[in-house]
Amino acid sequence: MRVGLFVTCLVDMMRPRIGFAALKLLEAAGCEVVVPAGQTCCGQPAYNSGDRESARQLAIKLLDEFESCEYVVAPSGSCAGMIRTHYVDLAGEGEALARRMAALSSRTYELTDFLVNVAKFDKVPGDYQGSITYHDSCSGLRELGVKTQPRALLAQIPGVALHEMKGAEECCGFGGAFSVKFGELSAAIAEKKCEAIQATGGDAIVGGDLGCLLNIEGKLRRMGDEKTKVLHVAEILAGDTKGTR
Amino acid sequence: MENRAMHFKARAGQKLADVLLQENLGKAKSRFVGMRAKAIVEVDDFEATREAAKLLRNRSLDDLDLWLEQFEQQATRRGATVLWARDSAEICKLVIDIAQRHGVKKITKSKSMLSEEAGLNLALEAAGIQPVETDLGEYILQINDNEPPSHIIAPVFHKSKEEISALFARTHRRPALTDIQALTREAREVLRPHFLSADMGISGGNFLVAETGSVALVTNEGNGRMVTTLPKVHVVVTGIEKVIPTLEDLSTLMRLLPRSATGQSISNYFSLLTGVKKPEESDGPEHLYFILVDNGRADLVGGEFAEMLRCIRCGACMNHCPVYQTVGGHAYGWVYPGPMGSILTPLFTGLENAIDLPQAATLCNQCGVVCPVKIPLPDLLRKLREKQMERRLRPLTERLALLAWGWMARHPRLYALGTKIGVRYLQWLAHDGERNDRIRILGMATEWTRGRDFPAPEGKTFREMYAARKGNP
C-alpha cells in the first residue's frame, strides 16, 4: 500500500517525533510511505477563520501533492477530518475538481483509524508501562468516528492500563485560533479537562491531536503539574516516548 | 432587548472571575447533560427520529407562507384573531393596543422568548399596564430588577438556591427559606392573587399547528394553563417559523423536545390550545390573539442560514457547549445564548453588532451532535465567520496575520525557511536556565499564555530532520 503521510503543520513545527512515530507505525504495518516534501498545512485555520479562498488554494495544493497516493494518513483527527469532511465543500462549482476532492477525501484517514480499519495492524511495537487516560479530540470523534480505534491499538500493549476520565469526549478548549482569540476562556475550559485527567490518577494523558495536547500540556504545567506526561498516541504505539517530558 | 453582544469578551472575563456563578454553572450542567443522555435511549431510534424531525421542519419552512396562511384560516375559523408583527416595536404596539381595547390593567405572562426580543415588559409598564411573570424562573428575574434570562428554558440557570432565597426574603418581606419546595410554595402564594385578578394572559408558543390553528405549549409548572385559561383575553406571541403542518408532525417533535431540553420523556404539562371558549365550555379565553413575529426570520427563508429556522428552542446546544458551560448565558449579551444564540444574534441584530459571537466557539460540534433537528451549528458559525471576513469585520491584525500565514503556506520553500527560524526562535524563548520546555509569556500570542504555558517546540522541524535522514540513511 502506497501511503502518503501528511505530517500536519503542528507536528512539523512542534513535535517532529510524532511524525517519525507515525512513519514507523505505517512502515511496521507494511505500507510504502511517501512524505511529499512540499506539504505545509491542510488549510483548516483559514477555513475556520472565514478565509475560504486561502483554504481552497491550500486544499488544491494538498490534492496535487497527495493525489498519486493510495491513501492519505495524518496523525491528527482534526486535519484528516478537514480533508475528509470539508474538502468537497471547498471545491465549489468545478465539477472535475469536486470529483477529485471527493476521491481524495474518501482515501484520507486519521492514523489510528487507518491502522485498525485499513491496515488491520496487530503488531504494535510499543512497550509502554503505566496507567494512561485518553482524550477524544472533537474532530476525530465527531467527524471521523475515532473512538475505539486508538483504544484497540493501545490494548495491544500489555503494560498499558487505560483509566477513562470523566467527560473524555468533551472539548479541551483548544479550538485552533479560538485559543488565541479568547485565551482566558480557552484556558478555563482546559482547566476542567486537566482536572478530569488528574482525577484518574494516571501518569499520562494520551490523545491523537497535537493541538489539544499542547493546550493540555500548557495548562497542566501552569497548574503546577510536572508529573502527568502528555503523549501523542503515535508515540506510545511506536514505543518512542523516551524524548518526552 | 438591548444588545450587548459586542462586549462578549469582557463579559466572559467577568463571568470567569465570578466564583459563585462558576459553582452554579458546574452543578446545572451535569444535571441537564446527564438527564438528556438517559432520556434519549427511551426512543427506539433516536437518530431516525432526529432525521424525521429535520425533514418535517424543512418541509414546514420550504412552504412557510402556505402553512402560515392555513394556520391563519384555521385559527380565525375558531374565533381567534391572527396579527402579524414585523419587529419588536410592532409586537409592543399590538400587545398594548389589544390591552387597551379590552381595558386591561394587569397581564400575567407565561414564558416567551419573543417577549424578551421585544422588551415587552418595559413597554407595557411604560403604557401603565402591569406585567406579571408567572414562570418561576422568569418571576425571579422580574423581581430582581428585570434581570435578563441566561438560558432559554431555564432562565435562572446561573443562580443558586441561596441567592433566590435571599431575593425572596427581601422582596416578599418574609423570613428566608432554604428548602426549594418551600420557596416554590411561597412564589405560588404570591402569584395566586395575580392569576385571579389579571385581565389578560400572554404566552409564547412552542409550535403552531396549521391544520387545526392550534398553539402547543410545553411547560413544567402549570402556570401556562392559568395564564391561558383564566383571563378573558389570551395573546400568543411567537415566531413565524414555529408553524408545522399537522398534529402528526407535532407528535414527532414532542418525542424530541422534552428529552433534548430537560431530559424528560414528556413535560409536566403539555397544552394544545385551539380557538376561543365555546358557550358550552367552562373555561378558556373569550378573546384569543396570535401575534406572529418576523423580527429577522423571513429574511433567512431560502437563504444560506435557513437551517437555523428549524430550531425548536430546546437549549440542548447550550447545555452541551463548553463555552456556555464556562461563562453562562449573560456573556452572550442578547436574548439567545450558546451556539444557537451565537448564530441568531448576529442574524437578527446585525453581524456588525456581534463581532465576537461567531468566533466564540471551539467548533467542537457537540452542539451539532445533540441538536434534535440536526442543525449544523458549527457550519453556520463558520459561514458567519466568512461573512465577517468579506465585510472586513474582524481586526486588521487578525486578517493580515491570516493572509500572511495563508500565503506562506502556499510557498513551501519560504514556509520551510520561516518555520525553521520560527521554531528556533521559540526554543530560544523557552530557555530560562532551569527548564527549557515551556514559554511562560509568549509575546506574539499573549492570549495563549494568559492562562497556560506554551510548550516549547523540539527545535527542528520534521521536514529538516526527514531530509537529513533521507540524505544519510
Side-chain angles (χ1 to χ4, degrees):
Chain A
M1 272 185 291
R2 193 175 137 87
V3 172
L5 174 62
F6 181 60
V7 179
T8 79
C9 55
L10 269 186
V11 166
D12 176 45
M13 286 186 275
M14 300 296 294
R15 295 286 180 272
R17 61 170 178 262
I18 296 170
F20 287 108
L23 183 63
K24 180 175 166 181
L25 289 166
L26 290 169
E27 285 177 345
C31 304
E32 178 204 342
V33 184
V34 291
V35 188
Q39 62 174 286
T40 55
C41 169
C42 66
Q44 188 181 185
Y47 186 61
N48 284 349
S49 296
D51 181 1
R52 200 179 170 85
E53 187 45 37
S54 294
R56 186 179 134 88
Q57 290 185 28
L58 285 168
I60 293 169
K61 176 178 170 296
L62 191 145
L63 174 69
D64 289 339
E65 287 162 346
F66 284 87
E67 206 170 17
S68 65
C69 300
E70 211 176 326
Y71 294 99
V72 182
V73 175
S76 159
S78 175
C79 309
M82 173 69 196
I83 300 169
R84 185 130 188 167
T85 56
H86 300 295
Y87 266 25
V88 174
D89 169 43
L90 280 174
E93 300 295 308
E95 208 178 294
L97 184 63
R99 250 200 319 276
R100 287 172 63 201
M101 287 289 192
L104 184 84
S105 295
S106 65
R107 307 200 302 270
T108 301
Y109 287 83
E110 182 273 339
L111 178 68
T112 62
D113 189 22
F114 177 82
L115 290 172
V116 170
N117 291 319
V118 181
K120 317 279 184 206
F121 186 50
D122 58 3
K123 295 180 192 64
V124 170
D127 56 358
Y128 190 83
Q129 299 276 335
S131 64
I132 64 164
T133 190
Y134 200 88
H135 167 61
D136 296 294
S137 290
C138 299
S139 301
L141 176 70
R142 285 182 274 273
E143 285 184 342
L144 303 172
V146 175
K147 175 77 187 179
T148 57
Q149 301 90 323
R151 288 170 177 78
L153 292 167
L154 287 165
Q156 291 183 34
I157 308 174
V160 167
L162 177 69
H163 298 287
E164 296 288 358
M165 72 177 100
K166 195 163 165 268
E169 298 185 356
E170 286 173 20
C171 180
C172 72
F174 173 61
F178 174 82
S179 63
V180 288
K181 285 177 187 160
F182 303 95
E184 214 185 344
L185 175 50
S186 171
I189 300 171
E191 186 167 345
K192 297 184 209 171
K193 175 59 68 175
C194 291
E195 285 164 358
I197 291 165
Q198 290 172 327
T200 65
D203 48 42
I205 160 70
V206 182
D209 267 275
L210 184 54
C212 314
L213 294 175
L214 292 173
N215 181 38
I216 291 167
E217 182 180 329
K219 188 68 211 182
L220 283 172
R221 300 303 174 249
R222 181 65 64 93
M223 288 162 77
D225 182 337
E226 301 293 335
K227 186 174 77 2
T228 308
K229 280 182 273 193
V230 182
L231 299 169
H232 190 283
V233 65
E235 297 177 85
I236 218 169
L237 293 175
D240 295 339
T241 58
K242 298 285 182 290
T244 57
R245 308 180 263 259
Chain B
M1 190 203 274
E2 191 190 344
N3 182 4
R4 295 189 179 159
M6 284 302 272
H7 308 291
F8 174 82
K9 198 168 166 177
R11 287 164 70 106
Q14 291 164 10
K15 302 300 172 192
L16 288 172
D18 187 335
V19 180
L20 182 60
L21 174 74
Q22 289 299 321
E23 207 176 290
N24 297 346
L25 288 174
K27 282 183 205 154
K29 170 209 156 182
S30 46
R31 204 160 44 95
F32 273 133
V33 171
M35 285 172 68
R36 174 193 172 274
K38 281 201 195 101
I40 65 167
V41 295
E42 300 167 352
V43 180
D44 285 343
D45 193 340
F46 192 75
E47 286 308 306
T49 313
R50 283 175 80 218
E51 183 63 25
K54 169 188 163 176
L55 295 177
L56 88 83
R57 286 296 285 141
N58 282 347
R59 205 165 58 241
S60 317
L61 294 162
D62 285 347
D63 297 308
L64 186 60
D65 50 347
L66 192 104
W67 303 120
L68 285 170
E69 269 175 35
Q70 195 188 350
F71 176 83
E72 183 177 26
Q73 278 168 14
Q74 293 302 324
T76 309
R77 204 163 68 83
R78 291 169 170 84
T81 306
V82 178
L83 303 167
W84 307 87
R86 198 171 289 120
D87 52 29
S88 297
E90 286 193 8
I91 300 174
C92 296
K93 185 175 180 306
L94 287 170
V95 174
I96 291 168
D97 282 353
I98 295 166
Q100 287 172 345
R101 190 176 318 140
H102 294 283
V104 170
K105 294 274 179 297
K106 184 191 283 182
I107 298 176
T108 44
K109 291 178 73 199
S110 173
K111 223 172 105 47
S112 154
M113 293 312 286
L114 256 303
S115 159
E116 299 292 336
E117 281 187 42
L120 184 57
N121 286 0
L122 291 179
L124 287 170
E125 280 169 16
I129 303 159
Q130 184 193 0
V132 181
E133 294 288 354
T134 66
D135 172 273
L136 182 57
E138 293 286 351
Y139 172 72
I140 291 164
L141 296 175
Q142 189 181 24
I143 62 171
N144 195 32
D145 198 16
N146 288 310
E147 186 184 357
S150 71
H151 189 289
I152 61 169
I153 61 159
V156 289
F157 194 82
H158 59 289
K159 280 204 189 311
S160 68
K161 183 178 70 177
E162 289 72 24
E163 288 171 273
I164 294 163
S165 167
L167 175 68
F168 273 22
R170 203 163 62 235
T171 314
H172 301 154
R173 297 173 196 281
R174 294 189 191 186
L177 301 169
T178 47
D179 177 55
I180 289 182
Q181 281 200 357
L183 284 164
T184 310
R185 203 174 308 119
E186 181 172 316
R188 231 176 245 264
E189 283 165 19
V190 174
L191 287 170
R192 184 76 35 165
H194 290 303
F195 282 126
L196 296 173
S197 59
D199 325 286
M200 177 168 143
I202 296 179
S203 73
N206 291 91
F207 301 105
L208 300 169
V209 183
E211 69 173 343
T212 56
S214 316
V215 58
L217 290 182
V218 181
T219 67
N220 271 324
E221 295 170 13
N223 65 311
R225 295 225 165 150
M226 310 277 256
V227 166
T228 58
T229 54
L230 285 178
K232 62 181 193 298
V233 186
H234 173 204
V235 179
V236 179
V237 187
T238 195
I240 51 172
E241 85 284 13
K242 293 291 186 69
V243 71
I244 50 172
T246 65
L247 289 170
E248 188 67 38
D249 295 330
L250 179 62
S251 77
T252 303
L253 291 167
M254 280 307 294
R255 289 164 74 77
L256 296 167
L257 177 56
R259 288 187 171 92
S260 300
T262 47
Q264 292 168 287
S265 310
I266 184 72
S267 48
N268 294 347
Y269 294 87
F270 173 68
S271 311
L272 193 60
L273 305 168
T274 311
V276 295
K277 176 176 179 277
K278 292 186 196 123
E280 69 275 18
E281 287 172 343
S282 58
D283 57 12
E286 290 162 31
H287 307 278
L288 174 61
Y289 295 89
F290 288 96
I291 299 178
L292 305 187
V293 183
D294 174 0
N295 217 20
R297 290 157 175 80
D299 283 346
L300 304 183
V301 176
E304 52 188 330
F305 295 99
E307 292 192 277
M308 198 58 223
L309 292 173
R310 285 207 296 269
C311 179
I312 57 171
R313 305 291 192 270
C314 69
C317 62
M318 58 198 76
N319 293 341
H320 290 79
C321 174
V323 174
Y324 181 93
Q325 287 164 0
T326 309
V327 298
H330 284 156
Y332 292 81
W334 196 57
V335 178
Y336 302 105
M340 55 86 84
S342 292
I343 295 165
L344 287 179
T345 304
L347 290 177
F348 286 174
T349 70
L351 192 55
E352 66 283 2
N353 297 319
I355 298 293
D356 280 342
L357 295 191
Q359 308 280 338
T362 63
L363 302 184
C364 76
N365 195 28
Q366 187 60 50
C367 54
V369 170
V370 298
C371 176
V373 287
K374 298 178 86 167
I375 300 170
L377 294 147
D379 292 346
L380 298 183
L381 286 167
R382 202 183 285 112
K383 260 184 210 166
L384 286 172
R385 294 178 184 186
E386 285 174 14
K387 300 278 170 221
Q388 290 187 320
M389 285 298 275
E390 282 165 21
R391 290 179 52 191
R392 303 187 174 189
L393 287 172
R394 294 298 302 169
L396 182 66
T397 45
E398 185 184 311
R399 283 185 286 132
L400 286 179
L402 199 58
L403 284 176
W405 170 87
W407 187 84
M408 280 274 285
R410 291 198 295 278
H411 296 81
R413 284 189 180 184
L414 267 169
Y415 183 89
L417 180 67
T419 50
K420 185 175 168 176
I421 297 168
V423 296
R424 281 165 176 77
Y425 173 64
L426 287 172
Q427 227 219 0
W428 176 76
L429 282 180
H431 273 270
D432 74 343
E434 187 193 350
R435 280 199 189 90
N436 304 324
D437 63 351
R438 71 198 69 171
I439 299 165
R440 290 279 182 181
I441 300 168
L442 185 56
M444 67 186 92
T446 46
E447 277 287 322
W448 178 285
T449 47
R450 278 178 79 178
R452 75 211 120 174
D453 294 343
F454 186 78
E458 279 179 44
K460 284 184 178 177
T461 64
F462 176 88
R463 87 182 65 236
E464 284 180 73
M465 293 166 76
Y466 185 72
R469 184 187 280 200
K470 281 198 109 175
N472 320 288

